[in-house]
Amino acid sequence: MKTLIAANWKMHKTRAEARKTAEAVVAGLPGNGRSLIVFPPFTAIADVAEVFAAREGLAVGGQDVYPAEKGAFTGEISPAMLRDAGATWVLTGHSERRHVLGESDAFVGRKTAFALSSGLNVMLCVGETLEEREAGQLEAVLRRQLREGLADVAAETAAAHVAVAYEPVWAIGTGKVAGCAEVLEAHALARRLLRDVVGAVADEIPLLYGGSVKPDNAASLLALDNVNGLLIGGASLEAESFLRIAEAG
Ligand code: PEP
């Protein structure tokens, strides 16, 4: 399976700043066969797509999507609009959307299914809060998020067009990376739960880890069983550290 290294720029970067970082990513591309996906803010998707110019191993995605073709949904964006701007991927269920913006599992599932049926690849994010982990609910949370997130997705579609990012909420943007033992355990669990949801093709779905990934911990994370890539927030904002992560291991 191809290793995916994904950058979530969140609400950072003007178009000019995004273009500059994207140009530096292209200039320093590792050529180690890994696929790099950048999720810029909506306003910069077309710029980053233009810089990447459909180059092998580089893709652009939206950070969110609304599950409808068009209509009276002020502030939202459709899959067709994302594709029109050059995106081939979209994030669904990022913890900031679940916990800051209050998105439910069911809504994440609708977005995932609709984006896939509109021709986008989806990176579905799952992960427990610290309270849930401490209450022994890791398995229940991941099971619910995977089951509802992929509720209306055919197994073959999931195998071909879905990646899952496990991102413990307590490790996102906090500098607290989950330890290797915790990541190993959570990824084995996520793989098993994915099999319950989509069957044997679960083994073809890339499972990424996200949460305070940095150049100095990337190699040890990528070496773990069932870790098929990384989703990076803070450390992806500078091309230099993003590229060091992409080269790690
Ligand atoms: C993220 O937002 O998906 C993320 C993993 O952020 P950070 O790397 O900053 O923890």
Side-chain angles (χ1 to χ4, degrees):
M1 184 183 314
K2 250 196 170 191
T3 301
L4 303 183
I5 307 291
N8 176 11
W9 287 352
K10 311 192 184 188
M11 201 172 72
H12 293 282
K13 297 188 187 291
T14 61
R15 290 174 53 203
E17 289 163 348
R19 196 171 260 280
K20 203 164 159 220
T21 311
E23 283 164 358
V25 168
V26 170
L29 218 54
N32 55 7
R34 292 178 178 168
S35 291
L36 273 51
I37 309 166
V38 173
F39 295 93
F42 296 141
T43 48
I45 289 174
D47 291 274
V48 174
E50 193 182 302
V51 173
F52 286 180
R55 208 176 281 244
E56 178 88 22
L58 279 177
V60 189
Q63 295 173 17
D64 189 33
V65 68
Y66 192 79
E69 249 170 60
K70 57 173 79 160
F73 304 106
T74 302
E76 296 295 330
I77 194 157
S78 74
M81 291 167 181
L82 290 176
R83 292 186 59 188
D84 182 49
T88 53
W89 281 85
V90 68
L91 290 176
T92 59
H94 190 276
S95 76
E96 284 146 20
R97 299 220 56 95
R98 292 179 189 271
H99 299 291
V100 181
L101 293 146
E103 289 189 5
S104 67
D105 293 308
F107 193 40
V108 172
R110 280 176 53 208
K111 290 182 180 210
T112 302
F114 194 78
L116 287 165
S117 70
S118 310
L120 286 166
N121 298 293
V122 172
M123 189 171 289
L124 169 66
C125 304
V126 298
E128 82 289 4
T129 63
L130 188 57
E131 299 71 55
E132 288 165 339
R133 172 169 278 264
E134 286 175 345
Q137 293 169 353
L138 173 65
E139 178 163 349
V141 170
L142 294 187
R143 179 182 296 114
R144 191 190 70 230
Q145 292 179 342
L146 289 170
R147 189 169 284 165
E148 296 205 29
L150 297 171
D152 293 314
V153 179
E156 318 79 67
T157 307
H161 298 290
V162 170
V164 170
Y166 167 66
E167 301 201 293
V169 179
W170 46 274
I172 297 179
T174 58
K176 269 190 230 159
V177 65
C180 282
E182 286 161 315
V183 176
L184 194 62
E185 186 200 1
H187 277 239
L189 178 62
R191 183 73 72 198
R192 175 163 66 73
L193 295 170
L194 256 182
R195 284 190 198 119
D196 293 344
V197 177
V198 296
V201 298
D203 295 359
E204 295 164 37
I205 297 179
L207 261 178
L208 284 73
Y209 169 77
S212 297
V213 174
K214 304 278 180 274
D216 60 3
N217 59 25
S220 48
L221 290 163
L222 283 169
L224 299 173
D225 263 3
N226 286 308
V227 174
N228 313 116
L230 301 168
L231 176 55
I232 307 126
S236 73
L237 292 173
E238 299 292 333
E240 196 256 347
S241 63
F242 180 55
L243 288 167
R244 275 170 62 209
I245 293 169
E247 282 160 7

